[in-house]
């Protein structure tokens, strides 16, 4: 970096995350990105499970299956389905925005809470069905 | 002679629009595929059922192949956006995006091959 560039880089910034009140819009937006990334990690695990089952038929599932049978594995699966339903519901909310609907502040707030509620309900329904 | 601008576009200006659309198209496809899959996949994974019991049937195997391929494409597009947002160096960006691209393609192909192998196995044991 040149000397002037370095001096520019060291100037203080205005505060942003420390002073801005978290709101339904911003929190759900970053949560959509975070759940997307977390879902990708789970997707890689699920793919490894299928690959090890298909390529080595007598060692069903390999390391991944034994991970999923532990408590931490099941906790991970639970959180992963929660992330899945959140990301899917918020994704549908995004699709409505893409066709131009739902930008009104009141509608956006309501749809945001609806997404949070649906994600939790869908996760609980899925896990109750899975456990019974 | 004017200097090159600091930020040079990697592609022509019309290039990225199709990614935006494919992200939405794959999102819709994934909603449908996930609804179809939830019934058969969640209980098996939880209870430690063999993957071949789930994916051995041709119909469920097909849904699985479609689900994983679409998911790997959708997540590639999503990760590309995340990387472009947070990695400032252009060559670091290119390398990171291509690493994700290679991993996703390799995993999608490997999952497809594995599911086809499981279907063949089931069919052989049925015919025997």
């Amino acid at each position: 970096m040149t000397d002037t560039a370095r001096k520019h880089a060291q100037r203080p910034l205005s505060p942003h995350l420390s002073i801005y009140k978290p709101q339904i819009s911003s929190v759900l937006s970053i949560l959509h990105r975070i759940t997307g990334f977390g879902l990708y990690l789970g997707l890689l695990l699920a793919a490894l499970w299928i690959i090890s089952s298909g390529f080595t038929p007598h060692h069903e599932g390999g390391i991944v299956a034994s991970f999923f049978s532990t408590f931490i594995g099941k906790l991970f699966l639970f959180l992963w389905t929660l992330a899945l339903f959140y990301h899917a519901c918020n994704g549908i909310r995004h699709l409505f925005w893409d066709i131009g609907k739902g930008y009104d502040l009141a509608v956006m707030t309501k749809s945001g809470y609806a997404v949070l509620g649906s994600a939790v309900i869908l996760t609980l329904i899925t896990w109750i069905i899975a456990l019974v | 002679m004017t200097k090159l601008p600091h930020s040079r576009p990697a592609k022509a200006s019309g290039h990225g629009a199709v990614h935006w659309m494919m992200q939405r198209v794959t999102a819709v496809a994934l909603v449908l595929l996930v609804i179809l899959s939830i019934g058969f996949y969640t209980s098996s994974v939880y209870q430690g059922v063999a993957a071949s019991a789930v994916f051995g049937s041709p119909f469920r195997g097909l849904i699985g192949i479609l689900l994983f391929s679409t998911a790997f494409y959708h997540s590639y597009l999503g990760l590309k956006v995340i990387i472009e947002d947070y990695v400032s160096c252009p060559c670091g960006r290119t390398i990171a995006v291509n690493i994700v691209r290679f991993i996703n393609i390799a995993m999608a192909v490997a999952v497809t091959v594995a599911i086809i192998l499981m279907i063949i196995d089931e069919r052989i044991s049925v015919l025997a």
Side-chain angles (χ1 to χ4, degrees), chain A residues 48-63:
Chain A
L48 285 173
W49 175 65
I50 292 180
I51 291 167
S52 73
S53 302
F55 286 17
T56 55
H58 299 296
H59 310 284
E60 288 299 345
I63 312 174

Side-chain angles (χ1 to χ4, degrees), chain B residues 68-125:
Chain B
F68 276 85
S69 309
T70 314
F72 276 117
Y73 184 37
H74 184 89
S75 59
Y76 159 69
L77 290 174
L79 281 174
K80 184 171 185 291
V81 169
I82 292 177
I83 289 169
E84 285 165 356
D85 275 353
Y86 297 137
V87 181
S88 31
C89 154
C91 96
R93 235 180 357 242
T94 315
I95 292 174
V97 168
N98 279 294
I99 288 175
V100 174
R101 197 182 258 155
F102 289 179
I103 291 177
N104 283 20
I105 293 176
M107 292 295 251
V109 172
V111 166
T112 306
V113 169
I115 291 181
I116 291 177
L117 283 175
M118 285 192 260
I119 294 176
I120 293 176
D121 270 345
E122 275 299 302
R123 186 147 288 201
I124 289 179
S125 55

Side-chain angles (χ1 to χ4, degrees), chain A:
Chain A
M1 248 197 210
T2 64
D3 224 33
T4 19
R6 200 172 295 116
K7 284 205 202 103
H8 285 180
Q10 283 161 349
R11 268 184 314 187
L13 276 179
S14 304
H16 41 89
L17 283 177
S18 45
I19 53 139
Y20 217 107
K21 174 178 161 189
Q23 291 157 334
I24 196 79
S25 50
S26 53
V27 171
L28 261 55
S29 173
I30 190 64
L31 202 54
H32 193 79
R33 179 168 279 196
I34 293 172
T35 49
F37 186 73
L39 285 171
Y40 178 61
L41 299 177
L43 180 70
L44 289 173
L45 268 179
L48 285 173
W49 175 65
I50 292 180
I51 291 167
S52 73
S53 302
F55 286 17
T56 55
H58 299 296
H59 310 284
E60 288 299 345
I63 312 174
V64 183
S66 31
F67 171 66
F68 282 154
S69 57
T70 65
F71 174 72
I72 298 216
K74 288 172 186 159
L75 183 63
F76 176 84
L77 276 178
F78 180 77
L79 293 174
W80 191 86
T81 44
L82 186 58
L84 176 70
F85 285 120
Y86 171 78
H87 192 88
C89 293
N90 199 228
I92 295 175
R93 189 163 164 251
H94 259 92
L95 290 173
F96 275 102
W97 289 337
D98 287 339
I99 55 175
K101 293 190 181 307
Y103 280 104
D104 193 58
L105 198 55
V107 177
M108 189 272 304
T109 312
K110 260 190 278 189
S111 66
Y113 284 111
V115 161
L116 282 172
S118 322
V120 172
I121 291 173
L122 285 170
T123 310
L124 290 174
I125 292 178
T126 310
W127 276 81
I128 289 172
I129 293 179
L131 292 173
V132 164

